[in-house]
Amino acid sequence: MVDIATRVYNHKWKIDPIVRSLIDTDFYKLLMCQSIFRNRPDTQVTFSLINRSSGIRLAELVDEGELREQLDHIRSLRLGRGESTWLRGNMFYGKRQMFRPDFMEWFENLQLPPYHLEKRDGQYELTFEGSWPEVMLWEIPALAVLMELRSRAVLHQMRRFELQILYARAMTKLWEKIERLKQVPDLRLADFGTRRRHSFLWQDWCVQALQEGLGRAFVGTSNCLIAMNRDLEAIGTNAHELPMVYAALAETDEELRQAPYRVLEDWHEEHEGMLRIILPDTYGTEGFLDNAPDWLTSWTGIRIDSGDPVAGAEAAIAWWRERGEDPREKLVIFSDGLDVNRIEDLTRRFAGRVRISFGWGTLLTNDFRGLVPGDALAPFSLVCKAVSADGRPTVKLSDNPNKAMGPADQVARYKRVFGVGSQTPIEVVV
Amino acid sequence: MVDIATRVYNHKWKIDPIVRSLIDTDFYKLLMCQSIFRNRPDTQVTFSLINRSSGIRLAELVDEGELREQLDHIRSLRLGRGESTWLRGNMFYGKRQMFRPDFMEWFENLQLPPYHLEKRDGQYELTFEGSWPEVMLWEIPALAVLMELRSRAVLHQMRRFELQILYARAMTKLWEKIERLKQVPDLRLADFGTRRRHSFLWQDWCVQALQEGLGRAFVGTSNCLIAMNRDLEAIGTNAHELPMVYAALAETDEELRQAPYRVLEDWHEEHEGMLRIILPDTYGTEGFLDNAPDWLTSWTGIRIDSGDPVAGAEAAIAWWRERGEDPREKLVIFSDGLDVNRIEDLTRRFAGRVRISFGWGTLLTNDFRGLVPGDALAPFSLVCKAVSADGRPTVKLSDNPNKAMGPADQVARYKRVFGVGSQTPIEVVV
């Protein structure tokens, strides 16, 4: 039997929306948004799309009209009643009412601010300006839209059976990874793949595959919509945008030096337990740890998001030991460029020495490498970052100079202030 | 949207039928049935299921109640009006009204005769007795039912995602074969995989994949129902059961020696062109060709269904040359144990020397080798053959002693009568 109603419904869509909900975003964006809404609601920021894979000429692949339709659709979204109820009532990391009533009221009335879109040199210049809590919520949907429109542009050229085989191969590929991950002892792994997913439906499939394949070793997803729909834990803590904006707002070098710790002071007040995760690499992990105040050693763990992950985790272990903490009670979350080999290696290396957990991103939800001619569906490195705050440029150094951002003079100043010496460049794949 | 009606409809099935139609069978069965209906309608035959893969203990894998349900369901089938119209009106091999009105009238009123089912030594003994035109139509549905019930027994143990991955892998595997076949010059290939298919739906998918992947190199399917539904050519000519039964009915050694040619005399009267395909191996290809009457050399081609396919095709080429025919105008159809490697090899070997075509069977529609633990879905060698005619045992020798059938004394007699010397045993995979 053909379901005529479904068929007709599908045909009458004006667009096939990529982002269907304001909570089709990473959980940590909402946590950070609430913190910003409380602490820095009036900061004016600009977020900008940056395609680090300049060989992918997005403006030639993706139709501008379709892109505008998708972005306009996102501006038409409002927080749904069920979504609001879930955010207000659900238990996150064991805590009820994580989101305060004043924040929820603001969120329920939120419309995302306007966007600016231009084409330049085969790329889209897509920027968002306005108050920080509003603008920052564009990051994930903007990335997801561009990633999926690029997928669709390639898929559009393919015939019915080619499509079926493509997904058959992609499913097989992921399942083979899951079968290897089943062998990893004491695995704790979460989906961090929203921003660079192949598509929404594919991410949703990946999550279901992890649920069935890994059972309790799969601890949840960063995607709030999927967490709500699939009855999973929403996972995430905080990101580079907090220290980047706090740093940009600093008036003096000394304020700049303290900015990353100011971020965590605010966070310390607001959160406890599993939400107290340090992200140390914004201006170099080594200096961050050396100069960290003592109260930070009591935090639950650390997230390693750039540089050599072994070096990063070893530095954290040494730091905890130095400060009298037992690393075996601490948590290291790896979230940079993970795939199965690296997860296996890191597990072998750190098992028994520290608790570890993995936030698996692009190579979970977008590993279409090698599946079509010319590798036209391979993932690429697209980011959407705060580039200025109250008119001042932001800077990111990280532990990999290939991930550094900001004007050259400011990068030099930050390197001086934070005492960052020479760094080893590592190729940024995704 | 969930289609409630479809869901409810699916739940109220008493059984999920494997054979849905009397024309879910091979086209050559209908051609032969019509010939038998005309020439030998009163012959009483017994057909019997024979599992040549004795390691597969079917009676332990397949529930007897389910098997009876499926067989009873087949007995409840009648030729549908649309099916009858298609058989009466469609053009087969360029000819209209291939099926004569008296045959069609008989077919429209046909119910398949009763079956006998017993368990012995972990196997099912399934036999059919009655008049030849009726009983012979059991062959393909009986095989398809047992093959698919065995598949279902294994699939029943699998979880949802395991099933999805299983089919993803099987699809990928077939598509990789198709991508190689696309490179084979002047390919002509048909689906001959009904009898040992993994399932009906899977065969239907395989056919669609060949349609899309190979285009005109895919010349059709032996399955009448799929040919009708998918607007494809129905492909097939004749099979061993004709010479086997004609031979069993012979009163003397001389009549026995002539029996295979009597079959083809009847066929010669009824058919022309692409339907005049010699199947020479029932009692040894070599003797068959040596003793063949001259009129047979005018036939269009030959089908190689056992023994070394290169030797068989070389023998046919040499025979045509000897008899003054140009092999380049003749057709060799390969239909035994084919997979891509063999198709490629045979094409290289015979391109330009003779026209060739392939009837791809089990490793098209049931190549689930290596896809589940213990290889529990690997295809196996099940046949359903005429074992007696008017009370006399049938015999098959073929060009591979591992495919020989019949009582030992009769096998010896046939070998003597047909002058079959030593043969090379070849492992029967499927």
Side-chain angles (χ1 to χ4, degrees):
Chain A
M1 283 196 276
V2 172
D3 181 9
I4 300 174
T6 301
R7 185 98 152 230
V8 170
Y9 177 73
N10 288 346
H11 276 274
K12 80 186 184 67
W13 280 351
K14 279 212 303 271
I15 63 165
D16 183 1
I18 290 170
V19 174
R20 294 156 171 80
S21 154
L22 285 182
I23 67 165
D24 180 10
T25 193
D26 280 340
F27 182 64
Y28 76 178
K29 292 300 293 194
L30 301 188
L31 286 181
M32 289 190 291
C33 187
Q34 172 169 259
S35 179
I36 295 162
F37 175 79
R38 178 187 184 185
N39 300 305
R40 308 278 177 135
D42 302 321
T43 304
Q44 296 297 299
V45 296
T46 303
F47 270 60
S48 182
L49 192 81
I50 299 152
N51 181 4
R52 295 192 288 213
S53 307
S54 52
I56 309 283
R57 296 177 68 80
L58 278 177
E60 291 167 10
L61 288 165
V62 170
D63 178 74
E64 184 176 334
E66 282 183 49
L67 175 54
R68 286 184 185 277
E69 274 184 335
Q70 293 292 342
L71 297 171
D72 291 342
H73 177 77
I74 292 169
R75 291 203 68 225
S76 79
L77 294 173
R78 299 294 180 278
L79 190 66
R81 181 184 288 219
E83 295 164 350
S84 175
T85 303
W86 181 76
L87 287 174
R88 284 174 183 268
N90 192 48
M91 191 184 288
F92 298 104
Y93 289 104
K95 182 179 169 185
R96 286 214 190 275
Q97 290 178 303
M98 174 79 79
F99 297 101
R100 290 184 301 274
D102 60 334
F103 172 71
M104 286 307 304
E105 201 173 311
W106 169 85
F107 195 12
E108 282 161 4
N109 290 298
L110 177 72
Q111 170 181 29
L112 289 191
Y115 58 88
H116 290 269
L117 180 64
E118 276 178 66
K119 281 187 185 182
R120 185 167 313 189
D121 296 336
Q123 299 293 345
Y124 283 115
E125 295 202 338
L126 178 58
T127 53
F128 310 93
E129 285 179 41
S131 75
W132 191 8
E134 293 184 357
V135 166
M136 62 93 73
L137 290 179
W138 261 116
E139 177 184 356
I140 308 298
L143 293 172
V145 159
L146 273 153
M147 295 304 293
E148 186 162 346
L149 281 180
R150 184 271 204 148
S151 301
R152 288 185 184 183
V154 176
L155 300 172
H156 196 66
Q157 311 299 322
M158 295 174 69
R159 301 175 64 196
R160 178 174 153 224
F161 269 71
E162 288 175 330
L163 287 173
Q164 202 170 7
I165 297 304
L166 172 70
Y167 286 104
R169 283 180 171 151
M171 286 176 180
T172 301
K173 194 173 184 184
L174 178 57
W175 196 253
E176 277 161 9
K177 293 185 186 187
I178 290 174
E179 286 184 335
R180 285 175 59 196
L181 290 174
K182 279 184 194 177
Q183 310 305 318
V184 173
D186 300 321
L187 180 69
R188 291 175 54 83
L189 178 144
D191 158 35
F192 276 20
T194 299
R195 68 190 58 209
R196 284 188 215 112
R197 66 192 183 197
H198 168 80
S199 73
F200 172 75
L201 291 176
W202 179 247
Q203 183 185 16
D204 195 38
W205 188 89
C206 293
V207 165
Q208 293 172 71
L210 290 171
Q211 277 186 286
E212 175 158 324
L214 295 183
R216 292 164 57 91
F218 176 53
V219 297
T221 171
S222 66
N223 187 296
C224 296
L225 182 63
I226 294 176
M228 181 179 79
N229 290 341
R230 304 265 164 226
D231 211 6
L232 285 162
E233 294 289 327
I235 303 284
T237 54
N238 56 61
H240 300 104
E241 74 174 281
L242 294 177
M244 285 168 71
V245 173
Y246 275 52
L249 299 175
E251 299 286 344
T252 64
D253 284 358
E254 185 48 32
E255 268 186 45
L256 175 58
R257 195 174 290 116
Q258 291 308 318
Y261 309 113
R262 282 296 316 279
V263 167
L264 301 183
E265 273 176 59
D266 286 344
W267 201 261
H268 193 84
E269 259 178 47
E270 293 166 316
H271 300 294
E272 53 196 16
M274 286 296 285
L275 286 174
R276 287 188 177 166
I277 302 292
I278 303 164
L279 180 65
D281 67 326
T282 315
Y283 304 117
T285 295
E286 198 184 328
F288 178 93
L289 294 177
D290 286 349
N291 301 314
D294 277 336
W295 53 266
L296 257 183
T297 59
S298 74
W299 276 35
T300 308
I302 200 163
R303 181 156 73 92
I304 309 290
D305 198 45
S306 66
D308 172 12
V310 170
E314 293 290 2
I317 290 172
W319 177 68
W320 280 314
R321 281 227 189 85
E322 250 168 48
R323 305 267 182 130
E325 299 282 330
D326 182 353
R328 286 170 303 178
E329 289 170 10
K330 297 295 186 183
L331 177 65
V332 173
I333 299 173
F334 297 101
S335 62
D336 182 35
L338 292 180
D339 205 0
V340 177
N341 280 343
R342 183 165 286 179
I343 292 170
E344 289 169 343
D345 290 347
L346 292 169
T347 300
R348 263 192 297 273
R349 177 106 191 182
F350 293 104
R353 300 177 55 208
V354 65
R355 289 158 55 211
I356 57 176
S357 148
F358 300 94
W360 193 14
T362 310
L363 295 179
L364 164 62
T365 59
N366 201 354
D367 190 0
F368 281 66
R369 293 175 299 178
L371 298 186
V372 294
D375 226 359
L377 285 175
F380 59 104
S381 190
L382 193 68
V383 295
C384 181
K385 292 283 185 194
V387 292
S388 75
D390 286 349
R392 303 175 191 192
T394 64
V395 169
K396 180 183 173 187
L397 301 177
S398 96
D399 288 329
N400 178 3
N402 288 342
K403 283 186 163 185
M405 286 181 35
D409 62 329
Q410 289 299 318
V411 168
R413 172 179 167 236
Y414 276 60
K415 281 189 160 187
R416 173 177 55 75
V417 168
F418 289 103
V420 171
S422 71
Q423 293 177 306
T424 311
I426 298 174
E427 194 196 354
V428 178
V429 180
V430 286
Chain B
M1 283 196 278
V2 171
D3 180 9
I4 301 174
T6 300
R7 186 98 153 229
V8 170
Y9 177 74
N10 289 345
H11 275 275
K12 80 186 184 67
W13 280 351
K14 279 213 302 274
I15 62 165
D16 183 1
I18 290 170
V19 174
R20 294 156 171 82
S21 154
L22 285 181
I23 69 165
D24 181 10
T25 192
D26 281 340
F27 183 63
Y28 77 177
K29 292 301 292 192
L30 302 188
L31 287 181
M32 290 191 290
C33 188
Q34 172 169 259
S35 178
I36 294 161
F37 175 77
R38 177 187 184 186
N39 300 305
R40 309 276 175 136
D42 301 322
T43 304
Q44 297 298 300
V45 296
T46 303
F47 270 61
S48 182
L49 192 83
I50 299 153
N51 181 3
R52 294 192 290 214
S53 306
S54 52
I56 310 284
R57 297 176 67 80
L58 279 177
E60 292 167 8
L61 288 164
V62 170
D63 178 73
E64 185 176 333
E66 281 184 51
L67 175 53
R68 287 184 183 277
E69 275 184 335
Q70 293 291 343
L71 297 171
D72 292 342
H73 177 74
I74 292 169
R75 291 203 67 225
S76 78
L77 294 172
R78 299 293 181 278
L79 190 66
R81 183 184 287 218
E83 296 164 349
S84 176
T85 302
W86 182 76
L87 287 174
R88 284 173 183 269
N90 192 47
M91 192 184 288
F92 297 105
Y93 288 105
K95 184 178 167 184
R96 287 215 189 273
Q97 290 178 303
M98 175 78 80
F99 296 101
R100 290 185 300 274
D102 60 333
F103 172 71
M104 286 307 304
E105 200 173 311
W106 170 84
F107 195 13
E108 282 162 2
N109 291 296
L110 177 73
Q111 169 180 30
L112 289 191
Y115 59 88
H116 289 269
L117 178 65
E118 276 178 66
K119 280 187 184 181
R120 184 168 312 187
D121 295 335
Q123 299 294 343
Y124 283 115
E125 294 200 340
L126 177 59
T127 55
F128 310 93
E129 286 179 41
S131 75
W132 191 8
E134 294 183 354
V135 166
M136 62 93 73
L137 290 179
W138 262 115
E139 178 184 356
I140 308 300
L143 292 172
V145 158
L146 274 151
M147 295 304 293
E148 186 162 346
L149 282 180
R150 185 270 205 149
S151 301
R152 290 185 183 182
V154 176
L155 300 171
H156 196 67
Q157 311 299 321
M158 295 173 70
R159 301 174 66 193
R160 179 174 152 222
F161 269 71
E162 288 176 329
L163 287 173
Q164 201 170 7
I165 297 304
L166 172 70
Y167 285 104
R169 284 179 170 152
M171 286 176 180
T172 301
K173 194 173 184 185
L174 178 58
W175 195 255
E176 278 162 7
K177 293 184 185 189
I178 290 174
E179 286 184 334
R180 284 174 60 194
L181 290 173
K182 279 183 191 175
Q183 312 303 320
V184 173
D186 300 320
L187 180 69
R188 291 174 55 81
L189 178 144
D191 157 35
F192 276 20
T194 300
R195 67 189 58 209
R196 281 186 218 113
R197 67 193 182 195
H198 168 80
S199 72
F200 172 76
L201 292 176
W202 178 248
Q203 182 185 17
D204 196 38
W205 188 88
C206 292
V207 165
Q208 294 171 71
L210 290 170
Q211 279 186 286
E212 176 158 321
L214 296 183
R216 293 165 57 91
F218 176 53
V219 296
T221 171
S222 65
N223 187 297
C224 297
L225 182 64
I226 294 176
M228 182 179 80
N229 290 342
R230 304 267 164 225
D231 211 5
L232 285 162
E233 294 289 326
I235 302 285
T237 55
N238 56 62
H240 300 105
E241 73 174 282
L242 294 177
M244 284 169 73
V245 172
Y246 277 50
L249 298 175
E251 298 286 343
T252 64
D253 284 0
E254 184 48 33
E255 270 185 44
L256 175 58
R257 193 173 291 117
Q258 291 307 318
Y261 307 114
R262 281 298 316 279
V263 167
L264 300 184
E265 272 176 59
D266 287 345
W267 200 261
H268 192 83
E269 258 177 47
E270 292 166 318
H271 300 295
E272 54 195 17
M274 286 295 286
L275 286 174
R276 287 188 178 165
I277 301 293
I278 303 165
L279 180 65
D281 67 326
T282 316
Y283 304 117
T285 296
E286 197 184 329
F288 178 92
L289 294 177
D290 286 348
N291 301 314
D294 277 338
W295 54 265
L296 259 183
T297 59
S298 73
W299 275 35
T300 306
I302 201 163
R303 181 157 72 91
I304 310 290
D305 199 46
S306 65
D308 172 11
V310 171
E314 292 290 2
I317 290 172
W319 178 69
W320 280 313
R321 281 227 189 84
E322 246 168 52
R323 306 267 181 129
E325 299 282 331
D326 182 353
R328 288 170 303 178
E329 291 172 8
K330 297 295 188 182
L331 177 64
V332 173
I333 300 172
F334 297 101
S335 62
D336 183 35
L338 293 179
D339 207 357
V340 177
N341 280 344
R342 182 165 287 179
I343 292 171
E344 289 169 342
D345 290 347
L346 292 169
T347 300
R348 265 193 294 274
R349 176 108 192 183
F350 293 104
R353 300 177 57 206
V354 66
R355 290 157 54 211
I356 57 176
S357 150
F358 299 94
W360 194 14
T362 310
L363 296 180
L364 165 61
T365 59
N366 200 352
D367 191 2
F368 282 65
R369 293 174 301 178
L371 299 185
V372 293
D375 227 356
L377 285 175
F380 59 104
S381 188
L382 193 68
V383 295
C384 181
K385 292 284 185 192
V387 292
S388 75
D390 286 350
R392 302 174 192 193
T394 64
V395 169
K396 180 182 174 188
L397 301 178
S398 96
D399 289 329
N400 179 1
N402 288 342
K403 282 186 163 185
M405 288 181 35
D409 61 329
Q410 289 297 319
V411 168
R413 175 180 164 235
Y414 275 60
K415 282 191 159 184
R416 174 176 54 74
V417 168
F418 289 102
V420 172
S422 69
Q423 295 175 305
T424 312
I426 298 174
E427 194 196 353
V428 178
V429 178
V430 284

